[in-house]
Amino acid sequence: MPLDDCLVMISLATAEALTPEAPSRKDDIIDCITTWSFMSKTNFYNNEDLVLPWWFGALCFSFSICGVAMLWSPPKWTIESRFPFTIFCLMLVVIQGPFSFAADYIHMTNDSLFHVYDRFIAIFLMSFETIRIVTMCNQVNTSTMILSLLAFSFALFSFVNSQLSQSKKCTSGFVFWHALWHIYPFFAASIALFDKHIVGEFDPTTAVKKMGDSRRKEGVLLLSTRVMKNTTLPAAVSSPNKKRII
């Protein structure tokens, strides 16, 4: 069962949630996701029209390249973070890249368990990627966070479109959108390196210190202003009451 059928069921269930009389689609959604997760065939099974270019197979290793790049130059926030950054990168290098190549390039038109393995690994690591983005939200520059969210959103958009193209058996659409899905690791690694080596990493300690210094300066200026008012006010009040001495 294609993933887009499951997404349609979820959207219908969400729309019908406000209607008490609507039948529950919970069991259907669970069955649909379970069936899709354990499918060892794609919609291109035995499809001779699907000819994948060599660069499509090369892009499968974008996950491995991204993992190596982030291991080579890890962000500063990972030093004190509990997020398993090194394990995450090693899984991208050793597991996701090779399994993606086997499933999406070697066995795309075959009945193979690599499709099941690749699907579960991708879901697991995308969950880790979501946690990574949430973890670093207060540890990076605002521009870096915005770029990361945009890249992540576009990656999901590309993946959904590749699944739609696959359900329609549109070979050109699948190659185009799935290639964009595989380009996401390059975007993620580029944004991380851009933040570290060009923009300059965000230091929360320095930011808090600067904020404290700014507030202290504002407090001193406010206090000095009040002192000046208190010293000049009696003179201004008493001046009309003074008698002129001839």
Side-chain angles (χ1 to χ4, degrees), residues 205-219:
T205 307
T206 305
V208 172
K209 184 179 179 181
K210 288 181 179 179
M211 185 180 296
D213 293 341
S214 177
R215 289 180 177 178
R216 280 194 293 271
K217 288 180 181 180
E218 290 178 0

Side-chain angles (χ1 to χ4, degrees), residues 144-164:
T144 302
M145 193 62 201
I146 293 174
L147 288 174
S148 298
L149 290 174
L150 289 175
F152 186 74
S153 300
F154 184 73
L156 294 178
F157 175 76
S158 300
F159 176 75
V160 171
N161 276 281
S162 74
Q163 295 297 303
L164 292 173

Side-chain angles (χ1 to χ4, degrees), residues 116-134:
V116 181
Y117 301 148
D118 177 60
R119 202 171 290 123
F120 276 97
I121 293 169
I123 293 172
F124 180 76
L125 290 180
M126 281 303 287
S127 301
F128 261 67
E129 176 67 1
T130 304
I131 297 172
R132 182 186 76 88
I133 293 175
V134 172

Side-chain angles (χ1 to χ4, degrees), residues 13-165:
T14 304
E16 294 172 352
L18 300 177
T19 308
E21 298 81 9
S24 175
R25 297 179 181 268
K26 180 180 178 181
D27 294 335
D28 294 335
I29 293 173
I30 293 174
D31 290 340
C32 181
I33 294 176
T34 303
T35 303
W36 172 77
S37 300
F38 288 95
M39 285 175 55
S40 60
K41 299 178 183 178
T42 69
N43 286 37
F44 293 117
Y45 175 65
N46 281 340
N47 189 331
E48 297 179 356
D49 295 332
L50 180 65
V51 179
L52 298 174
W54 66 267
W55 52 264
F56 185 88
L59 282 176
C60 295
F61 289 100
S62 61
F63 302 99
S64 300
I65 298 172
C66 172
V68 171
M70 291 195 295
L71 282 173
W72 170 68
S73 184
K76 187 185 295 183
W77 62 266
T78 61
I79 298 175
E80 299 181 357
S81 175
R82 294 183 179 180
F83 179 78
F85 186 79
T86 302
I87 296 175
F88 174 62
C89 293
L90 288 174
M91 291 184 69
L92 288 173
V93 176
V94 179
I95 300 176
Q96 182 63 81
F99 273 83
S100 177
F101 179 76
D104 294 342
Y105 190 70
I106 300 297
H107 296 289
M108 192 64 203
T109 58
N110 302 329
D111 184 355
S112 173
L113 286 176
F114 274 111
H115 295 297
V116 181
Y117 301 148
D118 177 60
R119 202 171 290 123
F120 276 97
I121 293 169
I123 293 172
F124 180 76
L125 290 180
M126 281 303 287
S127 301
F128 261 67
E129 176 67 1
T130 304
I131 297 172
R132 182 186 76 88
I133 293 175
V134 172
T135 302
M136 72 179 192
C137 64
N138 293 326
Q139 309 293 330
V140 297
N141 295 291
T142 304
S143 58
T144 302
M145 193 62 201
I146 293 174
L147 288 174
S148 298
L149 290 174
L150 289 175
F152 186 74
S153 300
F154 184 73
L156 294 178
F157 175 76
S158 300
F159 176 75
V160 171
N161 276 281
S162 74
Q163 295 297 303
L164 292 173
S165 298

